mmCIF file of all heavy atoms in Angstrom:
data_model
loop_
_atom_site.group_PDB
_atom_site.id
_atom_site.type_symbol
_atom_site.label_atom_id
_atom_site.label_comp_id
_atom_site.label_asym_id
_atom_site.label_seq_id
_atom_site.Cartn_x
_atom_site.Cartn_y
_atom_site.Cartn_z
ATOM 1 N N TYR X 291 -11.625 -3.603 6.948
ATOM 2 C CA TYR X 291 -12.995 -3.921 7.343
ATOM 3 C C TYR X 291 -13.666 -2.839 8.184
ATOM 4 O O TYR X 291 -14.900 -2.719 8.167
ATOM 5 C CB TYR X 291 -13.019 -5.245 8.107
ATOM 6 C CG TYR X 291 -12.576 -6.417 7.270
ATOM 7 C CD1 TYR X 291 -11.382 -7.077 7.542
ATOM 8 C CD2 TYR X 291 -13.344 -6.856 6.193
ATOM 9 C CE1 TYR X 291 -10.966 -8.148 6.774
ATOM 10 C CE2 TYR X 291 -12.934 -7.933 5.420
ATOM 11 C CZ TYR X 291 -11.747 -8.574 5.714
ATOM 12 O OH TYR X 291 -11.337 -9.634 4.940
ATOM 13 N N TYR X 292 -12.899 -2.073 8.948
ATOM 14 C CA TYR X 292 -13.502 -1.118 9.876
ATOM 15 C C TYR X 292 -13.303 0.338 9.448
ATOM 16 O O TYR X 292 -13.962 1.223 9.984
ATOM 17 C CB TYR X 292 -12.944 -1.334 11.280
ATOM 18 C CG TYR X 292 -13.193 -2.736 11.757
ATOM 19 C CD1 TYR X 292 -12.244 -3.731 11.558
ATOM 20 C CD2 TYR X 292 -14.400 -3.080 12.357
ATOM 21 C CE1 TYR X 292 -12.478 -5.038 11.964
ATOM 22 C CE2 TYR X 292 -14.638 -4.377 12.768
ATOM 23 C CZ TYR X 292 -13.676 -5.360 12.565
ATOM 24 O OH TYR X 292 -13.928 -6.647 12.957
ATOM 25 N N VAL X 293 -12.392 0.561 8.516
ATOM 26 C CA VAL X 293 -12.159 1.912 8.000
ATOM 27 C C VAL X 293 -12.668 1.997 6.565
ATOM 28 O O VAL X 293 -13.686 2.626 6.271
ATOM 29 C CB VAL X 293 -10.667 2.293 8.088
ATOM 30 C CG1 VAL X 293 -10.442 3.707 7.550
ATOM 31 C CG2 VAL X 293 -10.182 2.213 9.538
ATOM 32 N N TYR X 294 -11.996 1.320 5.645
ATOM 33 C CA TYR X 294 -12.330 1.416 4.219
ATOM 34 C C TYR X 294 -13.764 0.985 3.918
ATOM 35 O O TYR X 294 -14.487 1.647 3.168
ATOM 36 C CB TYR X 294 -11.338 0.572 3.420
ATOM 37 C CG TYR X 294 -11.639 0.497 1.938
ATOM 38 C CD1 TYR X 294 -11.471 1.609 1.113
ATOM 39 C CD2 TYR X 294 -12.085 -0.691 1.364
ATOM 40 C CE1 TYR X 294 -11.756 1.533 -0.242
ATOM 41 C CE2 TYR X 294 -12.367 -0.779 0.011
ATOM 42 C CZ TYR X 294 -12.195 0.338 -0.791
ATOM 43 O OH TYR X 294 -12.484 0.275 -2.126
ATOM 44 N N GLN X 295 -14.195 -0.144 4.499
ATOM 45 C CA GLN X 295 -15.522 -0.671 4.179
ATOM 46 C C GLN X 295 -16.647 0.157 4.804
ATOM 47 O O GLN X 295 -17.802 0.077 4.362
ATOM 48 C CB GLN X 295 -15.644 -2.127 4.660
ATOM 49 C CG GLN X 295 -14.618 -3.069 4.089
ATOM 50 C CD GLN X 295 -14.912 -3.460 2.641
ATOM 51 O OE1 GLN X 295 -15.947 -3.117 2.096
ATOM 52 N NE2 GLN X 295 -13.986 -4.157 2.020
ATOM 53 N N MET X 296 -16.332 0.928 5.833
ATOM 54 C CA MET X 296 -17.371 1.605 6.590
ATOM 55 C C MET X 296 -17.425 3.112 6.363
ATOM 56 O O MET X 296 -18.438 3.745 6.644
ATOM 57 C CB MET X 296 -17.168 1.345 8.093
ATOM 58 C CG MET X 296 -17.131 -0.130 8.477
ATOM 59 S SD MET X 296 -18.643 -1.022 8.020
ATOM 60 C CE MET X 296 -19.826 -0.181 9.052
ATOM 61 N N THR X 297 -16.359 3.693 5.848
ATOM 62 C CA THR X 297 -16.287 5.147 5.780
ATOM 63 C C THR X 297 -17.049 5.672 4.567
ATOM 64 O O THR X 297 -17.120 5.009 3.534
ATOM 65 C CB THR X 297 -14.814 5.603 5.731
ATOM 66 O OG1 THR X 297 -14.735 6.987 6.081
ATOM 67 C CG2 THR X 297 -14.202 5.390 4.358
ATOM 68 N N PRO X 298 -17.644 6.866 4.648
ATOM 69 C CA PRO X 298 -18.269 7.461 3.465
ATOM 70 C C PRO X 298 -17.214 7.873 2.451
ATOM 71 O O PRO X 298 -16.071 8.152 2.813
ATOM 72 C CB PRO X 298 -19.003 8.687 4.031
ATOM 73 C CG PRO X 298 -18.297 9.008 5.302
ATOM 74 C CD PRO X 298 -17.809 7.703 5.850
ATOM 75 N N TYR X 299 -17.599 7.893 1.181
ATOM 76 C CA TYR X 299 -16.622 8.258 0.156
ATOM 77 C C TYR X 299 -16.201 9.712 0.305
ATOM 78 O O TYR X 299 -15.035 10.067 0.088
ATOM 79 C CB TYR X 299 -17.174 8.026 -1.255
ATOM 80 C CG TYR X 299 -16.140 8.317 -2.318
ATOM 81 C CD1 TYR X 299 -15.113 7.415 -2.577
ATOM 82 C CD2 TYR X 299 -16.165 9.508 -3.031
ATOM 83 C CE1 TYR X 299 -14.140 7.679 -3.511
ATOM 84 C CE2 TYR X 299 -15.203 9.793 -3.977
ATOM 85 C CZ TYR X 299 -14.189 8.879 -4.230
ATOM 86 O OH TYR X 299 -13.220 9.148 -5.152
ATOM 87 N N VAL X 300 -17.128 10.556 0.669
ATOM 88 C CA VAL X 300 -16.822 11.982 0.809
ATOM 89 C C VAL X 300 -17.083 12.404 2.260
ATOM 90 O O VAL X 300 -18.168 12.200 2.785
ATOM 91 C CB VAL X 300 -17.696 12.842 -0.127
ATOM 92 C CG1 VAL X 300 -17.398 14.327 0.087
ATOM 93 C CG2 VAL X 300 -17.440 12.460 -1.585
ATOM 94 N N TRP X 301 -16.062 12.965 2.885
ATOM 95 C CA TRP X 301 -16.197 13.564 4.213
ATOM 96 C C TRP X 301 -16.359 15.066 4.027
ATOM 97 O O TRP X 301 -15.624 15.701 3.278
ATOM 98 C CB TRP X 301 -14.940 13.337 5.050
ATOM 99 C CG TRP X 301 -14.885 12.089 5.880
ATOM 100 C CD1 TRP X 301 -13.952 11.106 5.798
ATOM 101 C CD2 TRP X 301 -15.738 11.724 6.968
ATOM 102 N NE1 TRP X 301 -14.172 10.135 6.734
ATOM 103 C CE2 TRP X 301 -15.274 10.487 7.477
ATOM 104 C CE3 TRP X 301 -16.861 12.314 7.556
ATOM 105 C CZ2 TRP X 301 -15.881 9.841 8.534
ATOM 106 C CZ3 TRP X 301 -17.461 11.668 8.611
ATOM 107 C CH2 TRP X 301 -16.978 10.441 9.095
ATOM 108 N N GLU X 302 -17.288 15.649 4.721
ATOM 109 C CA GLU X 302 -17.400 17.101 4.745
ATOM 110 C C GLU X 302 -16.876 17.614 6.071
ATOM 111 O O GLU X 302 -17.440 17.336 7.124
ATOM 112 C CB GLU X 302 -18.852 17.535 4.548
ATOM 113 C CG GLU X 302 -19.393 17.243 3.157
ATOM 114 C CD GLU X 302 -20.767 17.841 2.931
ATOM 115 O OE1 GLU X 302 -21.238 18.591 3.822
ATOM 116 O OE2 GLU X 302 -21.359 17.566 1.891
ATOM 117 N N ASP X 303 -15.733 18.344 6.000
ATOM 118 C CA ASP X 303 -15.170 18.895 7.226
ATOM 119 C C ASP X 303 -16.080 19.971 7.800
ATOM 120 O O ASP X 303 -16.908 20.576 7.094
ATOM 121 C CB ASP X 303 -13.794 19.504 6.948
ATOM 122 C CG ASP X 303 -12.767 18.454 6.566
ATOM 123 O OD1 ASP X 303 -12.983 17.267 6.897
ATOM 124 O OD2 ASP X 303 -11.752 18.802 5.931
#
Side-chain angles (χ1 to χ4, degrees):
Y291 297 112
Y292 302 92
V293 180
Y294 175 70
Q295 302 284 354
M296 304 301 296
T297 198
Y299 184 76
V300 177
W301 270 121
E302 292 187 7
D303 293 339

